Amino acid sequence: MKLYSQKLELIAINTICNSSDEEVQTYVLSSLDASYFHDEACAAAFKRVQTVAQKKAILLSYTELTEDPALSEDCRDVLREAPNQRCKTMDKATRLVNQLSEYRKTRILYNMAKNISDCLQKDTVDIGEMLDGCTEALSKARLSNDLVQLV
């Protein structure tokens, strides 16, 4: 099973930076956080866009992002090589956010299962601690979904 889609993550970044519809742009930016991005280059790009937006109250254009020296050259290469795709309607933006949310939940469940397996391999097992970790992971996965539906 795939844990992420670089293509969808790049579409989200391109939508945030280049959408001609401010409502679409704002919706995507406000619906996502760093946990929605798994690809290293996409995560770094999103973090940079978010940081600049918070500190300077502006959104970098996609071109500015591809030339931003705060990002590694590898990251900028990934951004440059990406197809110029973005969401142009709220319906497509909503579907994009929902798809990224599904990947995020898949990663959370995968990591939870891996942690359970690792714990069960040990000589001693603290079941209460494992249950607390599972509860926290499941709450985290469900919380993001509920927040996206509220937006």
PDB file of all heavy atoms in Angstrom, residues 6 10 39 41-42 45 62 65-68 71-83:
ATOM      1  N   GLN A   6       3.405  11.755  -4.092  1.00  0.00           N
ATOM      2  CA  GLN A   6       4.173  12.962  -4.358  1.00  0.00           C
ATOM      3  C   GLN A   6       3.398  13.869  -5.312  1.00  0.00           C
ATOM      4  O   GLN A   6       3.387  15.091  -5.153  1.00  0.00           O
ATOM      5  CB  GLN A   6       5.534  12.614  -4.955  1.00  0.00           C
ATOM      6  CG  GLN A   6       6.402  13.852  -5.203  1.00  0.00           C
ATOM      7  CD  GLN A   6       7.670  13.551  -5.952  1.00  0.00           C
ATOM      8  OE1 GLN A   6       7.629  12.928  -7.019  1.00  0.00           O
ATOM      9  NE2 GLN A   6       8.800  13.989  -5.394  1.00  0.00           N
ATOM     10  N   LEU A  10       2.484  17.725  -4.538  1.00  0.00           N
ATOM     11  CA  LEU A  10       2.935  18.813  -5.414  1.00  0.00           C
ATOM     12  C   LEU A  10       1.759  19.638  -5.927  1.00  0.00           C
ATOM     13  O   LEU A  10       1.852  20.870  -6.034  1.00  0.00           O
ATOM     14  CB  LEU A  10       3.749  18.253  -6.583  1.00  0.00           C
ATOM     15  CG  LEU A  10       5.145  17.757  -6.220  1.00  0.00           C
ATOM     16  CD1 LEU A  10       5.726  16.900  -7.339  1.00  0.00           C
ATOM     17  CD2 LEU A  10       6.071  18.918  -5.890  1.00  0.00           C
ATOM     18  N   ASP A  39       6.539  13.244   1.430  1.00  0.00           N
ATOM     19  CA  ASP A  39       7.701  13.391   0.558  1.00  0.00           C
ATOM     20  C   ASP A  39       8.597  14.498   1.115  1.00  0.00           C
ATOM     21  O   ASP A  39       8.119  15.578   1.476  1.00  0.00           O
ATOM     22  CB  ASP A  39       7.237  13.744  -0.862  1.00  0.00           C
ATOM     23  CG  ASP A  39       8.392  13.918  -1.815  1.00  0.00           C
ATOM     24  OD1 ASP A  39       8.917  12.896  -2.284  1.00  0.00           O
ATOM     25  OD2 ASP A  39       8.780  15.080  -2.073  1.00  0.00           O
ATOM     26  N   ALA A  41      10.841  16.580  -0.158  1.00  0.00           N
ATOM     27  CA  ALA A  41      10.856  17.863  -0.864  1.00  0.00           C
ATOM     28  C   ALA A  41       9.539  18.611  -0.667  1.00  0.00           C
ATOM     29  O   ALA A  41       9.530  19.823  -0.430  1.00  0.00           O
ATOM     30  CB  ALA A  41      11.119  17.638  -2.353  1.00  0.00           C
ATOM     31  N   CYS A  42       8.438  17.893  -0.736  1.00  0.00           N
ATOM     32  CA  CYS A  42       7.125  18.530  -0.570  1.00  0.00           C
ATOM     33  C   CYS A  42       6.943  19.046   0.857  1.00  0.00           C
ATOM     34  O   CYS A  42       6.402  20.132   1.067  1.00  0.00           O
ATOM     35  CB  CYS A  42       6.011  17.551  -0.928  1.00  0.00           C
ATOM     36  SG  CYS A  42       6.004  17.095  -2.673  1.00  0.00           S
ATOM     37  N   ALA A  45       8.968  22.193   1.213  1.00  0.00           N
ATOM     38  CA  ALA A  45       8.338  23.292   0.478  1.00  0.00           C
ATOM     39  C   ALA A  45       7.108  23.810   1.221  1.00  0.00           C
ATOM     40  O   ALA A  45       6.918  25.025   1.347  1.00  0.00           O
ATOM     41  CB  ALA A  45       7.956  22.836  -0.929  1.00  0.00           C
ATOM     42  N   TYR A  62       4.845  29.939  -6.957  1.00  0.00           N
ATOM     43  CA  TYR A  62       5.544  28.679  -7.194  1.00  0.00           C
ATOM     44  C   TYR A  62       6.935  28.946  -7.767  1.00  0.00           C
ATOM     45  O   TYR A  62       7.906  28.290  -7.384  1.00  0.00           O
ATOM     46  CB  TYR A  62       4.726  27.794  -8.146  1.00  0.00           C
ATOM     47  CG  TYR A  62       5.127  26.346  -8.111  1.00  0.00           C
ATOM     48  CD1 TYR A  62       4.677  25.508  -7.105  1.00  0.00           C
ATOM     49  CD2 TYR A  62       5.960  25.819  -9.083  1.00  0.00           C
ATOM     50  CE1 TYR A  62       5.047  24.170  -7.067  1.00  0.00           C
ATOM     51  CE2 TYR A  62       6.330  24.487  -9.063  1.00  0.00           C
ATOM     52  CZ  TYR A  62       5.872  23.664  -8.046  1.00  0.00           C
ATOM     53  OH  TYR A  62       6.243  22.342  -8.019  1.00  0.00           O
ATOM     54  N   LEU A  65       9.204  29.949  -5.045  1.00  0.00           N
ATOM     55  CA  LEU A  65       9.530  28.769  -4.236  1.00  0.00           C
ATOM     56  C   LEU A  65      10.630  27.943  -4.907  1.00  0.00           C
ATOM     57  O   LEU A  65      11.543  27.460  -4.229  1.00  0.00           O
ATOM     58  CB  LEU A  65       8.267  27.928  -4.035  1.00  0.00           C
ATOM     59  CG  LEU A  65       8.286  26.860  -2.959  1.00  0.00           C
ATOM     60  CD1 LEU A  65       8.565  27.448  -1.586  1.00  0.00           C
ATOM     61  CD2 LEU A  65       6.965  26.105  -2.958  1.00  0.00           C
ATOM     62  N   THR A  66      10.555  27.798  -6.229  1.00  0.00           N
ATOM     63  CA  THR A  66      11.570  27.003  -6.936  1.00  0.00           C
ATOM     64  C   THR A  66      12.948  27.661  -6.938  1.00  0.00           C
ATOM     65  O   THR A  66      13.935  26.998  -7.227  1.00  0.00           O
ATOM     66  CB  THR A  66      11.170  26.719  -8.402  1.00  0.00           C
ATOM     67  OG1 THR A  66      11.067  27.947  -9.110  1.00  0.00           O
ATOM     68  CG2 THR A  66       9.875  25.938  -8.488  1.00  0.00           C
ATOM     69  N   GLU A  67      12.993  28.948  -6.609  1.00  0.00           N
ATOM     70  CA  GLU A  67      14.272  29.668  -6.575  1.00  0.00           C
ATOM     71  C   GLU A  67      14.670  30.076  -5.157  1.00  0.00           C
ATOM     72  O   GLU A  67      15.663  30.775  -4.974  1.00  0.00           O
ATOM     73  CB  GLU A  67      14.204  30.908  -7.471  1.00  0.00           C
ATOM     74  CG  GLU A  67      13.910  30.597  -8.931  1.00  0.00           C
ATOM     75  CD  GLU A  67      14.908  29.644  -9.560  1.00  0.00           C
ATOM     76  OE1 GLU A  67      16.114  29.712  -9.228  1.00  0.00           O
ATOM     77  OE2 GLU A  67      14.480  28.804 -10.373  1.00  0.00           O
ATOM     78  N   ASP A  68      13.909  29.651  -4.164  1.00  0.00           N
ATOM     79  CA  ASP A  68      14.136  30.058  -2.779  1.00  0.00           C
ATOM     80  C   ASP A  68      15.387  29.381  -2.211  1.00  0.00           C
ATOM     81  O   ASP A  68      15.441  28.158  -2.099  1.00  0.00           O
ATOM     82  CB  ASP A  68      12.916  29.692  -1.939  1.00  0.00           C
ATOM     83  CG  ASP A  68      12.929  30.326  -0.563  1.00  0.00           C
ATOM     84  OD1 ASP A  68      14.027  30.609  -0.045  1.00  0.00           O
ATOM     85  OD2 ASP A  68      11.842  30.520  -0.001  1.00  0.00           O
ATOM     86  N   LEU A  71      15.451  26.575   0.549  1.00  0.00           N
ATOM     87  CA  LEU A  71      15.206  25.164   0.235  1.00  0.00           C
ATOM     88  C   LEU A  71      16.456  24.562  -0.386  1.00  0.00           C
ATOM     89  O   LEU A  71      17.203  25.249  -1.089  1.00  0.00           O
ATOM     90  CB  LEU A  71      14.033  25.030  -0.745  1.00  0.00           C
ATOM     91  CG  LEU A  71      12.673  25.490  -0.248  1.00  0.00           C
ATOM     92  CD1 LEU A  71      11.654  25.427  -1.383  1.00  0.00           C
ATOM     93  CD2 LEU A  71      12.215  24.663   0.939  1.00  0.00           C
ATOM     94  N   SER A  72      16.655  23.279  -0.165  1.00  0.00           N
ATOM     95  CA  SER A  72      17.819  22.609  -0.751  1.00  0.00           C
ATOM     96  C   SER A  72      17.688  22.567  -2.272  1.00  0.00           C
ATOM     97  O   SER A  72      16.584  22.655  -2.822  1.00  0.00           O
ATOM     98  CB  SER A  72      17.935  21.184  -0.206  1.00  0.00           C
ATOM     99  OG  SER A  72      16.917  20.371  -0.765  1.00  0.00           O
ATOM    100  N   GLU A  73      18.809  22.415  -2.920  1.00  0.00           N
ATOM    101  CA  GLU A  73      18.805  22.324  -4.383  1.00  0.00           C
ATOM    102  C   GLU A  73      17.990  21.115  -4.843  1.00  0.00           C
ATOM    103  O   GLU A  73      17.266  21.192  -5.836  1.00  0.00           O
ATOM    104  CB  GLU A  73      20.243  22.249  -4.921  1.00  0.00           C
ATOM    105  CG  GLU A  73      20.336  22.379  -6.429  1.00  0.00           C
ATOM    106  CD  GLU A  73      19.859  23.720  -6.963  1.00  0.00           C
ATOM    107  OE1 GLU A  73      20.130  24.756  -6.348  1.00  0.00           O
ATOM    108  OE2 GLU A  73      19.197  23.717  -8.025  1.00  0.00           O
ATOM    109  N   ASP A  74      18.095  20.004  -4.128  1.00  0.00           N
ATOM    110  CA  ASP A  74      17.311  18.805  -4.477  1.00  0.00           C
ATOM    111  C   ASP A  74      15.818  19.091  -4.403  1.00  0.00           C
ATOM    112  O   ASP A  74      15.059  18.682  -5.274  1.00  0.00           O
ATOM    113  CB  ASP A  74      17.663  17.635  -3.554  1.00  0.00           C
ATOM    114  CG  ASP A  74      19.049  17.073  -3.820  1.00  0.00           C
ATOM    115  OD1 ASP A  74      19.609  17.331  -4.909  1.00  0.00           O
ATOM    116  OD2 ASP A  74      19.575  16.368  -2.932  1.00  0.00           O
ATOM    117  N   CYS A  75      15.414  19.779  -3.371  1.00  0.00           N
ATOM    118  CA  CYS A  75      14.008  20.138  -3.206  1.00  0.00           C
ATOM    119  C   CYS A  75      13.549  21.039  -4.347  1.00  0.00           C
ATOM    120  O   CYS A  75      12.484  20.821  -4.953  1.00  0.00           O
ATOM    121  CB  CYS A  75      13.801  20.822  -1.857  1.00  0.00           C
ATOM    122  SG  CYS A  75      12.114  21.386  -1.589  1.00  0.00           S
ATOM    123  N   ARG A  76      14.343  22.025  -4.667  1.00  0.00           N
ATOM    124  CA  ARG A  76      13.990  22.944  -5.750  1.00  0.00           C
ATOM    125  C   ARG A  76      13.925  22.219  -7.092  1.00  0.00           C
ATOM    126  O   ARG A  76      13.064  22.515  -7.922  1.00  0.00           O
ATOM    127  CB  ARG A  76      14.964  24.121  -5.798  1.00  0.00           C
ATOM    128  CG  ARG A  76      14.749  25.060  -4.597  1.00  0.00           C
ATOM    129  CD  ARG A  76      15.627  26.271  -4.650  1.00  0.00           C
ATOM    130  NE  ARG A  76      16.979  25.880  -4.240  1.00  0.00           N
ATOM    131  CZ  ARG A  76      18.072  26.564  -4.477  1.00  0.00           C
ATOM    132  NH1 ARG A  76      18.023  27.693  -5.152  1.00  0.00           N
ATOM    133  NH2 ARG A  76      19.237  26.148  -4.046  1.00  0.00           N
ATOM    134  N   ASP A  77      14.804  21.228  -7.289  1.00  0.00           N
ATOM    135  CA  ASP A  77      14.760  20.428  -8.524  1.00  0.00           C
ATOM    136  C   ASP A  77      13.456  19.646  -8.633  1.00  0.00           C
ATOM    137  O   ASP A  77      12.853  19.582  -9.701  1.00  0.00           O
ATOM    138  CB  ASP A  77      15.950  19.464  -8.592  1.00  0.00           C
ATOM    139  CG  ASP A  77      17.265  20.153  -8.907  1.00  0.00           C
ATOM    140  OD1 ASP A  77      17.238  21.321  -9.389  1.00  0.00           O
ATOM    141  OD2 ASP A  77      18.324  19.542  -8.658  1.00  0.00           O
ATOM    142  N   VAL A  78      13.023  19.051  -7.537  1.00  0.00           N
ATOM    143  CA  VAL A  78      11.751  18.320  -7.534  1.00  0.00           C
ATOM    144  C   VAL A  78      10.610  19.260  -7.903  1.00  0.00           C
ATOM    145  O   VAL A  78       9.750  18.927  -8.722  1.00  0.00           O
ATOM    146  CB  VAL A  78      11.484  17.647  -6.159  1.00  0.00           C
ATOM    147  CG1 VAL A  78      10.055  17.133  -6.060  1.00  0.00           C
ATOM    148  CG2 VAL A  78      12.475  16.522  -5.913  1.00  0.00           C
ATOM    149  N   LEU A  79      10.603  20.450  -7.320  1.00  0.00           N
ATOM    150  CA  LEU A  79       9.552  21.426  -7.614  1.00  0.00           C
ATOM    151  C   LEU A  79       9.594  21.868  -9.081  1.00  0.00           C
ATOM    152  O   LEU A  79       8.553  21.996  -9.728  1.00  0.00           O
ATOM    153  CB  LEU A  79       9.681  22.643  -6.697  1.00  0.00           C
ATOM    154  CG  LEU A  79       9.450  22.396  -5.209  1.00  0.00           C
ATOM    155  CD1 LEU A  79       9.800  23.641  -4.400  1.00  0.00           C
ATOM    156  CD2 LEU A  79       8.034  21.953  -4.932  1.00  0.00           C
ATOM    157  N   ARG A  80      10.793  22.089  -9.600  1.00  0.00           N
ATOM    158  CA  ARG A  80      10.938  22.534 -10.996  1.00  0.00           C
ATOM    159  C   ARG A  80      10.459  21.471 -11.978  1.00  0.00           C
ATOM    160  O   ARG A  80       9.897  21.783 -13.023  1.00  0.00           O
ATOM    161  CB  ARG A  80      12.396  22.866 -11.298  1.00  0.00           C
ATOM    162  CG  ARG A  80      12.859  24.185 -10.763  1.00  0.00           C
ATOM    163  CD  ARG A  80      14.296  24.483 -11.223  1.00  0.00           C
ATOM    164  NE  ARG A  80      14.889  25.458 -10.360  1.00  0.00           N
ATOM    165  CZ  ARG A  80      15.905  25.222  -9.515  1.00  0.00           C
ATOM    166  NH1 ARG A  80      16.455  24.031  -9.462  1.00  0.00           N
ATOM    167  NH2 ARG A  80      16.368  26.177  -8.743  1.00  0.00           N
ATOM    168  N   GLU A  81      10.722  20.206 -11.654  1.00  0.00           N
ATOM    169  CA  GLU A  81      10.397  19.105 -12.559  1.00  0.00           C
ATOM    170  C   GLU A  81       8.931  18.685 -12.494  1.00  0.00           C
ATOM    171  O   GLU A  81       8.467  17.934 -13.344  1.00  0.00           O
ATOM    172  CB  GLU A  81      11.294  17.902 -12.256  1.00  0.00           C
ATOM    173  CG  GLU A  81      12.755  18.163 -12.581  1.00  0.00           C
ATOM    174  CD  GLU A  81      13.693  17.115 -12.006  1.00  0.00           C
ATOM    175  OE1 GLU A  81      13.215  16.093 -11.475  1.00  0.00           O
ATOM    176  OE2 GLU A  81      14.917  17.327 -12.090  1.00  0.00           O
ATOM    177  N   ALA A  82       8.209  19.183 -11.516  1.00  0.00           N
ATOM    178  CA  ALA A  82       6.806  18.788 -11.353  1.00  0.00           C
ATOM    179  C   ALA A  82       5.933  19.404 -12.441  1.00  0.00           C
ATOM    180  O   ALA A  82       6.173  20.535 -12.870  1.00  0.00           O
ATOM    181  CB  ALA A  82       6.303  19.241  -9.977  1.00  0.00           C
ATOM    182  N   PRO A  83       4.921  18.645 -12.873  1.00  0.00           N
ATOM    183  CA  PRO A  83       3.990  19.233 -13.844  1.00  0.00           C
ATOM    184  C   PRO A  83       3.218  20.389 -13.214  1.00  0.00           C
ATOM    185  O   PRO A  83       3.000  20.415 -12.005  1.00  0.00           O
ATOM    186  CB  PRO A  83       3.056  18.072 -14.201  1.00  0.00           C
ATOM    187  CG  PRO A  83       3.281  17.021 -13.181  1.00  0.00           C
ATOM    188  CD  PRO A  83       4.597  17.290 -12.518  1.00  0.00           C
TER     189      PRO A  83
END
